[in-house]
Amino acid sequence: MKIANYNTNVYNTCFSWGACLPHLLRKVMIDCSNEFYQFNEFDKLINAFPNGPLTVAAHYSKGDAFFGMNSWVQAIDSYLESFKLEPTGKYAENAIESSYNASLELLDQNEYQLALLKFDSLINISSDKNLLGSLYYSKGDAYTGIKNWKLALKNYLRSYELDPSGKSAAKALKASYQTALMSLNENNFELAIIQFDSLIDVIPNGPLLTAAHYSKGDAFSELEDWKSAGKSYLESFRLEPDGKHAAKALMNVGMSLGKMQKINEACNILS
């Protein structure tokens, strides 16, 4: 059934808002099988009931319709419009969550720049630490997609700092380490050292910290800074003398000493 004209006086007189809203929205969602016609009907509702609960609901439902069509940007814009009108209303929390899910779809489709814009929009309006942790983690993924290792690491670490015990925390630390390794593998040794230091500053004790010190030693070795390399390898060994990097770390300490012509110390390490 086509909804052509909305008489706001009739609805205000005959129905409470609680009865009116579901009635109108249900007609649009059920009676309008054509998506483009459906959007037109939502727009009519929005224009007929400005600045009221129906407008909020219509924007949210319009977002759902766009989501169903895989129109992620339009879905996000509609959800956020709903949130902006009533940031503490009944649709607010779901609007933010749905916007994030649609932004993840952009990320999955390698629309990295668009995803970054939408993640930033959500960061600007959210105060939930769990969600913020996830948003910064996803920003890290987007920057990884465009091979901006510096900003990827920054966002992964921000994710961890916001929610160190949250669901994204362990992934954020692992992703931070992998990001620093990418700089090392691309021969950007100075940047890799800065990134490993950033990671070392926040990471708790464990295998990842040991690995970060070891890889930092590798970066210093490539720069032929043998003193700094030896210190990093030694710290890796000290943290986990029985760990997976221990034998190589100790050997590399000896090699670093040898490069500095400290032959006796090197022999003692390697013997």
Side-chain angles (χ1 to χ4, degrees):
M1 185 178 85
K2 193 171 181 179
I3 305 175
N5 297 300
Y6 304 106
N7 188 323
T8 58
N9 291 327
V10 169
Y11 275 110
N12 285 331
T13 301
C14 299
F15 297 100
S16 68
W17 276 114
C20 176
L21 297 183
H23 176 76
L24 289 175
L25 290 175
R26 187 166 55 250
K27 281 188 174 294
V28 174
M29 296 297 289
I30 295 176
D31 293 346
C32 305
S33 58
N34 182 285
E35 290 89 351
F36 295 102
Y37 179 73
Q38 191 179 87
F39 295 139
N40 185 51
E41 296 306 302
F42 280 129
D43 287 337
K44 287 181 181 179
L45 286 172
I46 290 166
N47 292 330
F49 297 89
N51 303 319
L54 182 58
T55 307
V56 178
H59 279 297
Y60 181 84
S61 297
K62 190 176 175 183
D64 281 348
F66 277 124
F67 199 106
M69 292 177 62
N70 299 339
S71 298
W72 311 120
V73 173
Q74 294 92 327
I76 295 164
D77 291 343
S78 294
Y79 288 135
L80 292 185
E81 186 63 26
S82 172
F83 177 86
K84 184 177 74 174
L85 289 169
E86 281 191 1
T88 58
K90 63 178 288 188
Y91 293 96
E93 184 176 347
N94 286 340
I96 294 294
E97 182 179 352
S98 296
S99 297
Y100 177 51
N101 289 335
S103 300
L104 288 178
E105 295 289 346
L106 290 174
L107 182 63
D108 288 344
Q109 293 179 0
N110 300 334
E111 295 283 355
Y112 300 122
Q113 296 292 354
L114 266 177
L116 284 168
L117 288 173
K118 299 308 178 183
F119 291 140
D120 280 334
S121 296
L122 290 167
I123 286 168
N124 289 335
I125 61 177
S126 178
S127 58
D128 184 300
K129 282 193 174 182
N130 291 329
L131 177 60
L132 285 170
S134 296
L135 283 164
Y136 278 105
Y137 180 86
S138 297
K139 277 189 71 177
D141 282 350
Y143 280 119
T144 295
I146 58 177
K147 298 184 178 181
N148 188 329
W149 312 124
K150 185 176 181 179
L151 289 179
L153 179 70
K154 180 180 178 181
N155 282 279
Y156 286 137
L157 290 180
R158 182 61 178 148
S159 171
Y160 176 78
E161 290 165 357
L162 279 167
D163 196 16
S165 59
K167 65 179 183 179
S168 297
K171 292 193 302 179
L173 288 181
K174 185 176 180 181
S176 298
Y177 176 65
Q178 293 298 328
T179 299
L181 277 184
M182 292 302 300
S183 297
L184 178 62
N185 293 336
E186 293 182 353
N187 300 330
N188 196 341
F189 305 121
E190 291 88 351
L191 177 58
I193 290 166
I194 292 170
Q195 291 178 321
F196 286 126
D197 277 335
S198 298
L199 182 57
I200 287 166
D201 285 341
V202 300
I203 198 169
N205 288 332
L208 199 56
L209 181 60
T210 305
H213 279 289
Y214 183 88
S215 297
K216 184 181 171 185
D218 285 347
F220 277 124
S221 292
E222 294 291 344
L223 294 172
E224 298 185 359
D225 183 347
W226 305 115
K227 184 177 180 180
S228 298
K231 286 182 177 179
S232 294
Y233 290 132
L234 188 59
E235 183 62 16
S236 175
F237 176 81
R238 186 190 67 80
L239 286 167
E240 284 193 332
D242 298 317
K244 64 177 286 189
H245 295 285
K248 291 190 296 182
L250 200 58
M251 182 181 70
N252 288 341
V253 170
M255 291 176 63
S256 298
L257 289 169
K259 291 289 187 179
M260 292 187 287
Q261 303 303 312
K262 295 186 177 182
I263 306 302
N264 290 335
E265 292 92 329
C267 289
N268 290 334
I269 290 287
L270 296 173
S271 62

